[in-house]
Amino acid sequence: MESHTGMKRALIIMVCCLWLFEAVFGRVGNVSSEVKIGALFTLDSAIGRSVKPAILAAVDDVNSNPNILKRTTLNLVLADTNCSGFLGTIEAMQLMENNVVAAIGPQSSGIAHVISHVVNELQVPLLSFATDPTLTSLQYPYFIRTIASDYAQMYATADVLEFYGWREVIAIYVDDDYGRNGISVLGDALAKNRAKISYKAAFTAGASQTDIDNLLVGVNLMESRVYVVHVNPDSGLTIFKVAKRLGMLSSNYVWITTDWLPTLLDSTEVVDYETLNLLQGVISLRHHTPDSDLKRKTISSWKKYKDEETSSFNSYATYAYDSIWFLAHALDDFFNEGGEVTFSDDPKLQSTNGSSLNLTSLRIFNQGQKLLQKLIAVNFTGLSGQVQLDGEKNLIHPVFDVVNFVGSSHLIGYWSNYSGLSTIAPEILYGKPQNKSPGNQHLYSVIWPGQTTAQPKGWVFPNNGKPLRIAVPYRVTYKEFVSKDNGPSGVKGYCIDVFEAALNLLAYPVPHVYVLYGDGIRNPKFNNLVNDVAQGKYDAAVGDITITTNRTRTVDFTQPYMGSGLVLVSPVKQTKSSPWAFLKPFTVQMWFVTCAFFLIVGAVIWILEHRLNHEFRGPPSQQLVTMFWFSFSTMFFAHKENTVSTMGRLVLIVWLFVVLIITSSYTASLTSILTVQQLSSRVKGIDELISSSDPIGIQDGSFAYNYLIEELKVAESRIKILKSQAEYINELLLGPEGGGVAAIVDERPYVEMFLTSTKCMFRTVGSEFTKGGWGFAFQRDSPLAVDLSTAILQLSENGDLQRIHDKWLSPDGCSTQGSQVDDTRLSLNSFWGLFLICGCACFIALLVFLCRVCLQYRKYKPEEEELEIEEPESLRPSRRTNRTTSFKDLIVLFDKKEAEVKEMFKRKISDGKNQIGPISDRQTQHSSPDCEAD
């Protein structure tokens, strides 16, 4: 019994020890293996209803996965912001009291700004879905965005607008941090594409339908018909309901929304017909999540976590799910490297002990910085794609789907910061070279509001009853172009008719009124007119307005409807014929080269013909005369000497062709000089005028004033402003000596009118030294400028532009420029090719001739050497005399007739044969004694 009792006691003690060990050490193990994380959302919202089940599923998946956080369990602390900035801030503070190591959310940008300050102080990483682009890691180091920022979304929106060519949009947005900051980035993105937000229509969060009604009524009176809607998901449909009632969802309207609309519709499994009818033709952006088997399988497992109000999941759910796994990967690395979760009191909050807010319960996460570094280094592939942060703690690959609502949402393309707009999934493009060029941007076709496939213009004339105010220069001179009229329009002229004809070609009416610009006493300053259009005082300017570089920086011009450029007008006098006019067709260089070639060709022909042609033989004086006579007689094709050598005839044929071209050109140039050139001017061109100190006249109000001073650096004191055609005539006739001007600088259309009105008393000199044209000026980015440019091209193609020109402007004008001697003189540049051919022919002929003579000389030389062998040694001349004799022999050979040379060679060959017999006899005689001796 005692042994039994002892065994029982030992067993009890062992059980107690095991219980005590479990109680003590087990509790410590449980404490160390549980990590609290927070989640902060507006649960009763389109985003919150999708995010909550995804987060719950993600926490359970992490806790049940043996490959991650093996000895650690995630404990989720969920808080509801109740769609209130104030309550959301309180909930966020209470969430931090639970000693969480990280927080997921919030979705609200306003709450995110407040809670970011808190997590910075407590060193708790915040993985947020707030898309406000002003939430940056530079200001909030512990803020991490786990969804694409509105910065990327607004640039995607701007690229869509650029793709369709719209330059002005109206932004409709909620007036809070989320709305204001997003639209601010949109304005910056549009500015890079030379587009702009023409009006910002903001309304307060929770605005009534009446407020939205008043807002859209005002918007509908404006010019732009492209609307970008950036609001909260739970109130956005109200805008489309009001727009439907106001008729703003018909054709010619464009509606583009940010991701709020797909977020709202994707949260509902079946969207009712009335809602879909509201959204017909709308384009929207949606956060992109690649389709995969893992995604479909995982989302299907979330159904058990859904509330009764949650019927489907939007893209935020996949990002929320990946955020939990994102944090889990970082915690796993944190614990694997021996990290511990400890908290300490914040010294800054100790002074608030007496406060009922109990702020001392907020404690600092001591290892927050280390966990933050682990989060930055995480890189894995989740349901939303690759999860990795860039240097600003944003996802490295922001991607959006571009969808078009036609009965349901239809995918028409993608946008990514890697390739821009594309119809190919970004996951495929990441493996290819980056290409964001305009030609590589693509989207599928779109059904626009009103069930049309025709792309809307995106603008109309405002429905505010105000016609376009068009400024027209009140000209004093050259009223044919534009002038005051007593008719209904108040103006008339060539420019007005062109403008009205272009308007008639447009597919829509353009109500407008003309406003005279100027006092009618002197021409207005056209630079001031253009600046007033740029500043919005007028909607456009129509008249003889020259398109210049400086003006295009402030306004938009249409296609030029008349060519224009600056020319010089100068007084001219009739020139008298000169007795030496026959020398003017050729330049001095041309005369010299031509004469030289006459001599060269004559010499070459003489060399080639001298041995064959008896006409080129005789005494030296006679041969010299023959050479010169033959050379210059070819000018008139009157040479009587015949050529018999092949090379001579070849050279002569080439030379006669050259002579034919030169004489024909000389005749034409001389005729032009003697018959056309009757006028001369003291000014030859703009360069000569600038280099002189003579006064220069310009038309009052012309852009030539600034051009001469700024571009050509002409002294301002030299420029005289002329206000009428009478002043033109008077100043030109007086000239610089009489206090007038040396020339007038003006645009060609005015000059042509001036010359016609003065019956060609004056002429233009030099060439047109600027190129430009006249166009109609509009305010920057006005779509009417583009449409009118197309209309002007149509007028030019169908001939109406020329008919309007002939109606107002005289088709018969003066010769704009008298022919100048320098322009008609022929230089060597026009003929050096001919001379080169002739020179090559002469060189080849001489080379062949000399080679033939040298070969003959080699045969001719041995005969002379034989004579030297037979002579006694004492009688032989020296070698120096031999060399002199050899040169003389060459000259003698050259001077011999070809027939004599041939006869000499024949005789030499015959003599050589006769000498073979005697030489053999002598050799026999010398050898006989030897034979006899033998």
Side-chain angles (χ1 to χ4, degrees):
M1 290 292 295
E2 291 181 0
S3 62
H4 256 310
T5 303
M7 291 178 63
K8 288 181 179 179
R9 289 177 179 176
L11 184 60
I12 292 173
I13 292 172
M14 184 179 297
V15 171
C16 290
C17 289
L18 290 173
W19 178 83
L20 182 61
F21 180 85
E22 178 70 19
V24 175
F25 294 97
R27 184 180 300 119
V28 174
N30 289 338
V31 172
S32 62
S33 64
E34 180 180 279
V35 176
K36 292 183 179 180
I37 61 173
L40 185 66
F41 293 99
T42 300
L43 300 181
D44 187 19
S45 66
I47 295 177
R49 287 190 291 269
S50 289
V51 165
K52 179 182 175 181
I55 289 181
L56 294 176
V59 171
D60 287 347
D61 289 347
V62 170
N63 289 335
S64 61
N65 193 319
N67 297 321
I68 192 170
L69 294 177
K70 299 177 182 178
R71 292 180 298 275
T72 305
T73 302
L74 297 182
N75 184 5
L76 180 66
V77 180
L78 192 62
D80 187 2
T81 61
N82 295 308
C83 199
S84 169
F86 175 72
L87 295 178
T89 303
I90 299 300
E91 288 290 337
M93 300 291 284
Q94 292 177 350
L95 180 66
M96 293 296 108
E97 293 179 355
N98 291 284
N99 291 337
V100 296
V101 297
I104 310 297
Q107 69 199 59
S108 169
S109 297
I111 300 174
H113 275 281
V114 177
I115 195 62
S116 293
H117 290 285
V118 177
V119 297
N120 280 353
E121 178 67 23
L122 302 180
Q123 299 181 13
V124 175
L126 178 66
L127 283 66
S128 177
F129 300 143
T131 57
D132 183 356
T134 62
L135 288 164
T136 63
S137 60
L138 184 64
Q139 182 180 6
Y140 307 113
Y142 285 85
F143 176 85
I144 298 174
R145 199 191 319 270
T146 57
I147 198 169
S149 167
D150 278 345
Y151 182 89
Q153 182 171 208
M154 292 307 169
Y155 272 83
T157 304
D159 283 352
V160 171
L161 294 168
E162 172 70 12
F163 179 79
Y164 292 109
W166 296 311
R167 297 299 180 188
E168 290 190 13
V169 302
I170 293 177
I172 302 173
Y173 63 99
V174 61
D175 192 14
D176 58 10
D177 291 338
Y178 161 76
R180 285 191 303 270
N181 296 331
I183 294 302
S184 177
V185 173
L186 177 61
D188 296 338
L190 290 173
K192 290 187 176 181
N193 297 332
R194 283 196 61 189
K196 66 179 181 179
I197 300 176
S198 59
Y199 182 73
K200 295 182 179 180
F203 60 92
T204 59
S208 65
Q209 184 168 330
T210 302
D211 295 335
I212 295 176
D213 193 304
N214 294 333
L215 180 74
L216 293 185
V217 167
V219 163
N220 198 32
L221 295 176
M222 298 179 182
E223 182 179 273
S224 178
R225 284 291 185 267
V226 181
Y227 307 114
V228 175
V229 184
H230 184 54
V231 297
N232 295 317
D234 301 297
S235 59
L237 288 180
T238 306
I239 295 174
F240 286 96
K241 292 178 181 178
V242 175
K244 181 71 172 180
R245 183 167 51 81
L246 296 177
M248 298 174 66
L249 293 176
S250 58
S251 58
N252 294 326
Y253 286 87
V254 179
W255 291 86
I256 300 176
T257 76
T258 51
D259 67 295
W260 66 267
L261 183 57
T263 297
L264 175 63
L265 299 181
D266 291 345
S267 302
T268 305
E269 192 166 354
V270 178
V271 183
D272 61 273
Y273 174 79
E274 183 180 354
T275 301
L276 290 176
N277 190 40
L278 287 176
L279 304 175
Q280 292 294 321
V282 174
I283 293 178
S284 185
L285 297 178
R286 176 175 59 202
H287 289 282
H288 173 74
T289 55
D291 193 17
S292 64
D293 294 336
L294 176 63
K295 174 184 172 182
R296 289 189 293 269
K297 180 180 178 181
T298 303
I299 292 178
S300 64
S301 67
W302 296 350
K303 295 180 180 179
K304 62 182 179 180
Y305 300 98
K306 293 195 300 184
D307 296 333
E308 294 181 358
E309 298 178 354
T310 306
S311 58
S312 188
F313 298 97
N314 54 42
S315 58
Y316 279 82
T318 58
Y319 284 97
Y321 184 86
D322 286 346
S323 298
I324 296 297
W325 277 95
F326 183 34
L327 178 59
H329 281 289
L331 287 172
D332 189 46
D333 291 342
F334 173 78
F335 289 125
N336 287 339
E337 293 185 4
E340 296 182 356
V341 177
T342 60
F343 294 86
S344 61
D345 295 332
D346 188 349
K348 298 178 182 179
L349 300 178
Q350 297 304 313
S351 60
T352 62
N353 286 334
S355 173
S356 59
L357 295 177
N358 194 23
L359 296 179
T360 55
S361 61
L362 301 176
R363 307 178 69 195
I364 296 175
F365 177 29
N366 296 327
Q367 291 78 28
Q369 180 62 32
K370 183 178 180 180
L371 179 59
L372 179 64
Q373 296 304 317
K374 294 299 179 183
L375 285 166
I376 295 174
V378 169
N379 181 7
F380 74 100
T381 301
L383 301 185
S384 60
Q386 184 180 5
V387 181
Q388 184 181 0
L389 301 180
D390 59 15
E392 297 181 356
K393 301 188 182 72
N394 292 317
L395 295 179
I396 60 171
H397 291 311
V399 181
F400 292 90
D401 296 335
V402 185
V403 298
N404 178 216
F405 289 96
V406 185
S408 60
S409 62
H410 292 270
L411 183 69
I412 62 172
Y414 308 91
W415 180 93
S416 70
N417 62 345
Y418 185 80
S419 58
L421 296 173
S422 174
T423 55
I424 303 175
E427 295 79 20
I428 299 175
L429 295 177
Y430 291 149
K432 299 180 180 180
Q434 186 175 11
N435 186 358
K436 296 180 69 174
S437 62
N440 199 48
Q441 306 298 293
H442 303 286
L443 289 175
Y444 290 121
S445 59
V446 175
I447 302 298
W448 302 101
Q451 298 294 317
T452 178
T453 57
Q455 179 183 326
K457 296 195 309 295
W459 68 278
V460 294
F461 284 100
N463 296 327
N464 51 19
K466 295 182 180 179
L468 292 180
R469 298 183 73 248
I470 299 177
V472 177
Y474 194 173
R475 293 199 60 89
V476 177
T477 57
Y478 305 113
K479 294 184 179 181
E480 294 86 352
F481 295 107
V482 61
S483 63
K484 184 180 179 180
D485 186 41
N486 295 325
S489 64
V491 290
K492 64 178 181 179
Y494 166 75
C495 302
I496 302 301
D497 281 6
V498 172
F499 182 71
E500 291 290 343
L503 289 182
N504 292 335
L505 293 178
L506 300 182
Y508 48 87
V510 182
H512 60 280
V513 294
Y514 294 109
V515 180
L516 288 171
Y517 188 88
D519 55 12
I521 300 176
R522 57 183 296 182
N523 291 335
K525 293 184 177 181
F526 284 75
N527 283 338
N528 295 342
L529 171 60
V530 172
N531 290 334
D532 286 347
V533 173
Q535 295 172 6
K537 296 180 180 179
Y538 303 97
D539 297 303
V542 171
D544 47 338
I545 305 171
T546 304
I547 303 173
T548 65
T549 303
N550 291 333
R551 292 172 182 176
T552 56
R553 294 191 178 104
T554 57
V555 297
D556 283 348
F557 281 95
T558 61
Q559 172 80 15
Y561 61 88
M562 172 174 274
S564 176
L566 293 178
V567 294
L568 289 180
V569 181
S570 176
V572 293
K573 60 181 179 180
Q574 188 171 5
T575 59
K576 297 180 180 180
S577 180
S578 170
W580 302 101
F582 67 91
L583 295 176
K584 292 181 180 179
F586 286 166
T587 61
V588 175
Q589 187 182 24
M590 181 65 183
W591 277 117
F592 175 79
V593 174
T594 302
C595 293
F597 261 84
F598 270 107
L599 297 176
I600 291 171
V601 172
V604 171
I605 295 295
W606 178 83
I607 291 172
L608 297 175
E609 295 290 323
H610 177 70
R611 302 180 68 192
L612 298 173
N613 195 339
H614 69 277
E615 295 182 355
F616 287 87
R617 300 186 65 82
S621 59
Q622 179 182 345
Q623 294 183 50
L624 186 64
V625 171
T626 300
M627 181 175 63
F628 280 106
W629 165 254
F630 178 84
S631 176
F632 287 100
S633 62
T634 56
M635 182 187 306
F636 310 103
F637 305 96
H639 49 285
K640 65 179 182 178
E641 293 80 7
N642 295 321
T643 54
V644 296
S645 67
T646 303
M647 288 299 172
R649 290 174 176 176
L650 175 63
V651 172
L652 184 60
I653 290 173
V654 174
W655 174 242
L656 290 178
F657 175 74
V658 174
V659 170
L660 175 64
I661 299 300
I662 291 176
T663 54
S664 300
S665 302
Y666 174 86
T667 303
S669 179
L670 182 61
T671 302
S672 175
I673 291 173
L674 295 178
T675 59
V676 177
Q677 172 59 26
Q678 300 293 333
L679 304 174
S680 66
S681 170
R682 60 178 293 163
V683 179
K684 303 301 181 184
I686 185 63
D687 294 332
E688 182 180 340
L689 181 63
I690 294 173
S691 61
S692 68
S693 58
D694 295 336
I696 303 173
I698 65 166
Q699 182 184 174
D700 188 19
S702 173
F703 80 97
Y705 182 85
N706 291 333
Y707 180 81
L708 291 174
I709 296 175
E710 297 174 3
E711 301 295 333
L712 302 183
K713 309 303 179 184
V714 176
E716 188 175 356
S717 58
R718 292 179 56 192
I719 301 176
K720 297 184 69 173
I721 298 177
L722 309 179
K723 300 178 182 179
S724 65
Q725 293 189 33
E727 289 190 21
Y728 271 43
I729 299 172
N730 184 52
E731 293 292 328
L732 287 173
L733 292 178
L734 288 176
E737 298 82 0
V741 297
I744 293 176
V745 176
D746 209 345
E747 296 181 70
R748 182 172 293 279
Y750 302 129
V751 169
E752 291 175 352
M753 294 293 297
F754 172 68
L755 296 180
T756 301
S757 64
T758 58
K759 299 181 180 179
C760 305
M761 290 175 56
F762 308 96
R763 287 290 188 274
T764 62
V765 294
S767 58
E768 188 173 286
F769 55 92
T770 66
K771 295 292 183 181
W774 291 353
F776 305 129
F778 290 84
Q779 295 180 13
R780 290 300 296 268
D781 302 320
S782 172
L784 191 58
V786 178
D787 290 352
L788 276 178
S789 294
T790 304
I792 290 172
L793 290 175
Q794 294 178 7
L795 290 176
S796 178
E797 292 172 356
N798 61 26
D800 288 344
L801 198 60
Q802 184 62 43
R803 283 188 284 272
I804 297 173
H805 179 279
D806 295 341
K807 171 186 174 183
W808 288 97
L809 310 177
S810 174
D812 300 326
C814 300
S815 175
T816 57
Q817 182 176 344
S819 300
Q820 301 296 318
V821 174
D822 291 338
D823 295 337
T824 57
R825 299 185 74 181
L826 302 174
S827 66
L828 186 61
N829 292 333
S830 303
F831 299 97
W832 70 266
L834 285 173
F835 288 124
L836 178 63
I837 294 173
C838 184
C840 291
C842 293
F843 176 77
I844 293 172
L846 285 177
L847 183 63
V848 173
F849 174 79
L850 291 176
C851 290
R852 188 167 180 273
V853 171
C854 289
L855 290 174
Q856 290 178 348
Y857 179 68
R858 290 183 64 184
K859 297 179 181 180
Y860 177 75
K861 186 175 181 181
E863 181 180 352
E864 303 298 326
E865 289 178 350
E866 288 180 4
L867 296 175
E868 293 181 4
I869 294 172
E870 296 176 359
E871 292 179 0
E873 184 176 353
S874 59
L875 300 177
R876 292 177 185 174
S878 64
R879 294 183 178 273
R880 190 171 190 180
T881 306
N882 286 341
R883 286 194 294 267
T884 304
T885 304
S886 299
F887 179 74
K888 291 181 178 179
D889 292 340
L890 178 62
I891 297 300
V892 170
L893 178 64
F894 171 75
D895 191 51
K896 287 180 178 295
K897 292 183 177 182
E898 186 71 21
E900 294 178 2
V901 174
K902 290 180 179 180
E903 182 64 27
M904 180 186 64
F905 286 154
K906 290 179 180 179
R907 186 171 61 252
K908 181 179 178 182
I909 294 171
S910 176
D911 293 343
K913 291 179 179 179
N914 294 333
Q915 291 177 358
I916 295 175
I919 292 173
S920 301
D921 294 340
R922 287 195 295 270
Q923 289 177 350
T924 304
Q925 293 174 4
H926 287 298
S927 60
S928 295
D930 293 337
C931 294
E932 293 176 357
D934 291 337

